[in-house]
Amino acid sequence: MSETLFSKIINREIPADIVYEDDLSLAFRDINPQAPVHLLLIPKKAIATINDLGPDDRELVGHLFVVAAKLAKEMGFDDDGYRTVMNCGANAGQTVFHLHLHLLAGKPFGWPPYTDRMKQA
């Protein structure tokens, strides 16, 4: 996998507002937030998309969700609710091809999530 914006954040080549880090993952604030709280949780292992996951990545993906729940609790929005999203591919809205989990909170969310975009298509 070629170097991405997220790998540069992991390597501290570009700055980010990092809110969490451990041996497997990193979480930071999205520079284009779609909610009052919008964090990106990324594995330190370079994986481009969900399609590139293998059986050995089960624990890593599960770890991202465990970290999301931990951050929700620590930041105080676990009881109010939050959304997690993992896009796969350009048509799904993935713009950085390094696996990442969006953690969004701080406002009510509708369903389906992209109703306005669907009307424009």
Side-chain angles (χ1 to χ4, degrees):
M1 189 172 101
S2 62
E3 191 171 50
T4 67
L5 176 69
F6 293 170
S7 61
K8 290 179 181 181
I9 290 172
I10 292 167
N11 295 326
R12 303 303 200 271
E13 295 171 18
I14 59 173
D17 186 358
I18 297 170
V19 298
Y20 178 86
E21 182 173 15
D22 62 30
D23 291 345
L24 300 175
S25 64
L26 189 74
F28 53 94
R29 296 187 191 281
D30 194 305
I31 60 169
N32 185 26
Q34 302 300 304
V37 177
H38 188 167
L39 305 177
L40 299 175
L41 289 76
I42 62 173
K44 289 184 175 178
K45 178 181 178 182
I47 303 169
T49 74
I50 294 170
N51 292 335
D52 299 302
L53 291 169
D56 292 342
D57 298 315
R58 287 181 184 135
E59 288 187 31
L60 179 59
V61 173
H63 179 75
L64 294 177
F65 283 93
V66 170
V67 170
K70 172 185 171 64
L71 292 172
K73 185 172 184 113
E74 288 177 359
M75 295 180 157
F77 55 81
D78 55 326
D79 287 338
D80 289 337
Y82 55 94
R83 178 169 286 172
T84 56
V85 177
M86 192 177 285
N87 300 318
C88 183
N91 281 344
Q94 185 175 5
T95 58
V96 178
F97 286 84
H98 183 124
L99 190 77
H100 55 287
L101 179 67
H102 296 261
L103 174 59
L104 302 113
K107 72 173 195 171
F109 295 100
W111 194 260
Y114 301 112
T115 304
D116 292 337
R117 285 191 195 171
M118 290 168 51
K119 289 178 185 175
Q120 293 173 0

